[in-house]
Amino acid sequence: MRLPPLQSLRAFDAAARHLNFTRAAEELFVTQGAISQQIRQLEEYLGFRLFFRLPRRLQLTDEGDRLARATYEGFSRIAGEIESLRAVEEAGVVTVSVLQSFAVKWLVPRLGHFREAHPDIDVRIHADDRLVDFRNEGIDLAVRFGRGRYPNLYTELLMRDEVFPVCSPDYLASSPPLNKPADIAGHQLLHDATSHIEQPRAADWQFWLEGVGVKGIDLRRGLRFNSGDMVIQAALMGHGVGMARTSLAAQDLKAGLLVRPFPQTVASSYAYYLTCPEENLNRPRVQAFIRWLKDEVAATLTDIEESQPALTIITSNPDA
C-alpha cells in the first residue's frame, strides 16, 4: 500500500495535536495556508474528511481521530529512535590513529583526563606510522606528524614541535661536563632513527647540530632506535644523551626525570596535525575528542613555557 506524502502527514499530525492550523504552521515554520493546503491534499488522497471546520475551532472526524493516534505514535517512535541513535553515536567508540611514539609518551598518559570528562566514550588507539585508510579501517580521526599535506582530508594544526638534547639528572651529574653543544663529542649519543613517510630527519642529531651551528661531531657512534619513545626511555635509564622532541619529553621534563643540558632548541619544520574525512567532524564523539586534544595541547604548551627558558633557533632549511 502506498503511503500519503510525508509532508502531508506531518502537517496533519501537528494540526491534530493543536486543533489549530495557525499553531501547526508555527511549529513547522510554514504558513497557515500551506498547512490548510496540505490537509486538503491529504483528504483528497485518502478519500475522506479528517476535520470538521467549525466557525472558531477544528474538530477531528472519527477517521481523523484514528489517524491522529497513529501518526502521533509513529512520529513519536521515530523521534525516540533518533534520540537513541544519537546517544549511541555520542557515546560509542572513537578510534584514533597515531604514531606509536606519540601514543606512548603523550596521548596514553593523558587519556585518564578524557575518561573523566567523557565516561561514555570508549577510545581505541590505532598505533601506526603509516597513513591509514579511514573508511576501510574504521578510523575516526588521526594525529599525524608532518607538513599537513593530506589531500581530500580535513586537516588542522594541532601542535608544533621542537628538538633538543636530554639526559637523566644522574647522567648529567656523573658524566663529563656538558657546558656547550660541542661537548657532546665525548658522550654516548642516543639516536632517533625513525624514518616516517614525511619526516626522515625530524629529530636526529645532525638536524639539531646544523641548527645550532656545530660541526665536526662523529655521529656514527651511539645507540639507535626506530621510535622516539625508546630514545626517551634510554635517556631516562642513563644510557646517554638523547635527541628528544618537545611532545615526547614534556612530561618527563616537568617531573624532573629528564633535564636539558643545553638551552638551545631547534624548531622542527614538521608539526602534529589532526586529520580525517570531512564528514567525520559531524560525529559528536569525534568533536568531543578533538576538543579534549586541544585542551591537553594547551596544557602541554603551558608546562613547556614554565620549564627552563630556552633559545629557539628556527632552521633555515625546511627540507632538513
Side-chain angles (χ1 to χ4, degrees), residues 116-131:
E116 291 172 2
H118 303 278
D120 295 330
I121 302 179
D122 291 328
V123 180
R124 294 177 182 170
I125 303 300
H126 188 280
D128 204 325
D129 292 350
R130 66 186 176 84
L131 301 178

Side-chain angles (χ1 to χ4, degrees), residues 93-108:
V93 174
V94 59
T95 303
V96 185
S97 174
V98 297
L99 276 68
Q100 175 182 311
S101 57
F102 185 78
V104 171
K105 298 303 296 181
W106 194 92
L107 182 57
V108 173

Side-chain angles (χ1 to χ4, degrees), residues 26-45:
E26 292 172 353
E27 177 182 320
L28 299 179
F29 301 101
V30 297
T31 65
Q32 187 270 346
I35 294 292
S36 182
Q37 182 179 5
Q38 289 291 334
I39 299 301
R40 283 198 302 271
Q41 291 175 350
L42 181 59
E43 288 176 329
E44 291 173 3
Y45 182 93

